[in-house]
Amino acid sequence: MPPVYSSSENTILKEIAHQNGGALSRNMQVVSTQTQSIGTICCMLPISRLTFCTSSLVMAPIASPSSQLTTPTNTPFDEQQPGGGECRKGVKYLVDAAPNMRTLPSEYIMPQPLIPSSVNAAPIPIVDLSGLDGAVERRMIAVQAISSACAEWGFFRIINHGIDISLMDEMLETVKGFFNLSWEEKMKYASDDVMNPVRYGTSLNTPKKHTLVWRDYLRHFGYPIHKSFHLWPNNPPNYRFIAKAYLEEVWKLALKIAEAISEGLGLERDYIEKSLGEGSQIVACNYYPPCPEPNRTLGLVGHSDHGGLTILMQNDVEGLQVKHDENWVAVPHVPGTFVVNIGDYLEILSNGRYKSVEHRAIVNAEKTRISVAAALGPEMMATVAPASPLVDEKSESKFRPIIYKDYMRYQQSTPLRGKSALQPIMTMANNSIAKPS
Ligand code: OGA
Ligand code: NI
């Protein structure tokens, strides 16, 4: 007998089908649903979001994970979507076109609860990575430091990471060069398909309607570089070459940290690396120009990252905030360092021992902020599930398996905030339901 779905479940199915280009991925089936009570935040959302918040759809792959997703075609932005009209050209364009702008355009005004209030500076842990290359005992200390930082914060700063400051600076410079191009030139890389290997855009990653945020971005696939290098921007002419050098270094660095994380979890040192298969890397270059009313909007709303680890660098303008113990805290800028955070993939793999952490970006009235976030993740067709050694009689599996590509498409397509993208794959064993912020 075909399964019967309630209207809210049907809404979710349609949502997922829509995101998959019109059909549920052939290897997915609905295996169970559960209803959760709705909080006040859900009640304030439009009805389509409300129905999505009230149920938890659980998906599991059937047979082999050979997803047959159809890729939506490249459609131009339309006026109904975020970025319609002049806004679609990007916030840099708006600022350049009206340097004396004093009022924030209404499309960017955030609902009251999301407006950043003043926050304290975060004493996020600092990890000296040189310890990982040291003798056994020294290495153990570094592994322990990373393990505690992951468990307590999910966010840490790394020093002695081995990447040349000159390469970091060159990357920031060529990213700036890209955003300084005309909007017509940048729009050559625009796409409504969240899975496109290269995308220029503005506001959140999704083309769905949402309150806009004060950010332009260039996102593209990195490692394995030969697969998408030819698609990366060739203007500025050095962009591809500097980005290649930078992303290769950052990939190696992420693997080194992943080894330490594996060990800290009591897994084989290469456990995470092996779980990635060929692996995938996605880089987000973010551009936040000065904003006329920075307290009425955000550069990025609170979200977690879909990958395993994100390695972030920025120019000398602060703006990153992290949610710690339910409070937002500001991450100070320390030149020459990177900030690393746990993403959803590692929360799933560690069966919830490490949590992906919500973070957001605020903007300011004076200076342009640029950040480059490079995420390490598994290959697109990998089945993402808790590591079997971490699932035993005592600790049930907290997440149902999902194909990484399906998860990423879903997470990137939704304007829902916080860690809500993890909800549909949580099992009953996972009683810490992520709330939108
Ligand atoms: C991101 C991100 C934060 C920042 O790109 O996912 O969280 O400080 N960026 O720009
Ligand atoms: Ni992020």
Side-chain angles (χ1 to χ4, degrees):
M1 213 177 81
V4 178
Y5 302 119
S6 70
S7 62
S8 61
E9 288 160 0
N10 265 325
T11 309
I12 300 167
L13 284 171
K14 277 192 216 138
E15 173 88 0
I16 290 179
H18 176 73
Q19 286 168 16
N20 283 352
L24 268 177
S25 167
R26 246 199 261 158
N27 64 326
M28 305 304 283
Q29 62 173 344
V30 177
V31 292
S32 83
T33 59
Q34 70 191 75
T35 303
Q36 292 139 12
S37 65
I38 49 173
T40 46
I41 292 183
C42 290
C43 297
M44 294 178 337
L45 297 172
I47 196 71
S48 59
R49 294 199 195 167
L50 178 67
T51 49
F52 204 69
C53 279
T54 55
S55 286
S56 160
L57 174 79
V58 175
M59 292 179 289
I62 51 174
S64 72
S66 57
S67 180
Q68 301 290 323
L69 302 181
T70 45
T71 307
T73 48
N74 241 5
T75 52
F77 289 98
D78 79 37
E79 299 295 307
Q80 298 310 310
Q81 291 174 330
E86 289 293 274
C87 296
R88 83 192 170 112
K89 298 176 183 171
V91 278
K92 180 166 192 314
Y93 171 85
L94 293 185
V95 169
D96 289 349
N100 296 322
M101 193 195 316
R102 291 279 166 270
T103 323
L104 187 67
S106 59
E107 293 89 335
Y108 297 89
I109 298 176
M110 286 278 151
Q112 197 65 26
L114 286 175
I115 293 174
S117 49
S118 66
V119 301
N120 295 326
I124 64 164
I126 299 172
V127 176
D128 179 351
L129 278 200
S130 65
L132 292 180
D133 301 320
V136 182
E137 223 162 89
R138 213 172 142 230
R139 181 176 165 85
M140 256 176 54
I141 293 169
V143 167
Q144 188 50 50
I146 291 175
S147 163
S148 322
C150 290
E152 284 158 32
W153 277 85
F155 244 92
F156 50 97
R157 183 184 306 287
I158 49 173
I159 57 168
N160 293 326
H161 44 68
I163 297 190
D164 273 352
I165 294 195
S166 57
L167 182 57
M168 296 167 77
D169 288 344
E170 276 180 294
M171 182 64 185
L172 285 167
E173 210 40 51
T174 190
V175 166
K176 186 164 143 196
F178 174 81
F179 286 104
N180 277 339
L181 298 173
S182 68
W183 70 271
E184 290 95 336
E185 179 69 20
K186 289 181 281 193
M187 288 295 276
K188 288 184 187 163
Y189 302 96
S191 163
D192 280 355
D193 177 7
V194 296
M195 300 304 282
N196 224 48
V198 180
R199 289 181 83 209
Y200 164 72
T202 187
S203 191
L204 300 182
N205 300 330
T206 174
K208 287 193 186 156
K209 204 169 169 60
H210 60 265
T211 304
L212 301 184
V213 294
W214 201 255
R215 165 220 190 207
D216 295 336
Y217 62 87
L218 169 68
R219 288 171 62 83
H220 61 82
F221 288 17
Y223 184 91
I225 285 172
H226 65 274
K227 286 196 171 170
S228 61
F229 179 79
H230 59 291
L231 302 171
W232 300 358
N234 54 8
N235 197 359
N238 65 3
Y239 179 85
R240 284 184 184 175
F241 303 96
I242 292 174
K244 177 174 184 291
Y246 177 75
L247 292 174
E248 278 170 352
E249 288 297 303
V250 172
W251 180 258
K252 280 190 265 168
L253 177 62
L255 284 181
K256 187 172 180 175
I257 299 169
E259 275 186 354
I261 291 179
S262 289
E263 279 181 79
L265 285 168
L267 302 168
E268 293 292 323
R269 201 196 261 205
D270 60 358
Y271 191 97
I272 294 176
E273 183 171 355
K274 278 192 180 152
S275 80
L276 304 177
E278 187 182 40
S280 66
Q281 184 187 38
I282 293 170
V283 64
C285 306
N286 303 305
Y287 190 94
Y288 310 95
C291 173
E293 292 184 277
N295 293 332
R296 303 186 80 185
T297 191
L298 284 165
L300 258 179
V301 292
H303 67 281
S304 59
D305 297 337
H306 52 81
L309 284 175
T310 304
I311 299 192
L312 181 119
M313 73 157 166
Q314 60 170 52
N315 65 353
D316 56 2
V317 181
E318 290 178 0
L320 177 64
Q321 295 187 346
V322 181
K323 206 177 204 183
H324 182 60
D325 291 341
E326 292 305 306
N327 295 315
W328 286 106
V329 283
V331 179
H333 172 59
V334 180
T337 67
F338 291 98
V339 171
V340 179
N341 70 271
I342 300 286
D344 296 344
Y345 174 67
L346 260 184
E347 175 162 345
I348 299 169
L349 184 127
S350 71
N351 201 23
R353 288 193 201 187
Y354 296 162
K355 303 273 190 274
S356 62
V357 186
E358 263 188 75
H359 52 284
R360 68 183 185 186
I362 60 163
V363 287
N364 75 83
E366 284 91 38
K367 289 185 180 163
T368 294
R369 176 161 182 267
I370 297 177
S371 68
V372 178
L376 163 125
E379 63 185 31
M380 291 294 151
M381 298 314 295
T383 300
V384 176
S388 44
L390 303 179
V391 181
D392 51 30
E393 319 79 63
K394 276 191 266 125
S395 56
E396 284 171 62
S397 180
K398 292 191 172 159
F399 298 94
R400 294 183 194 263
I402 188 166
I403 308 293
Y404 187 60
K405 188 176 181 180
D406 291 334
Y407 183 71
M408 185 173 145
R409 184 193 297 275
Y410 172 60
Q411 198 259 11
Q412 291 287 296
S413 303
T414 174
L416 289 177
R417 303 186 166 89
K419 293 176 62 174
S420 49
L422 274 176
Q423 274 194 22
I425 57 164
M426 285 178 177
T427 64
M428 295 299 274
N430 201 331
N431 51 19
S432 62
I433 301 302
K435 297 188 198 79
S437 62

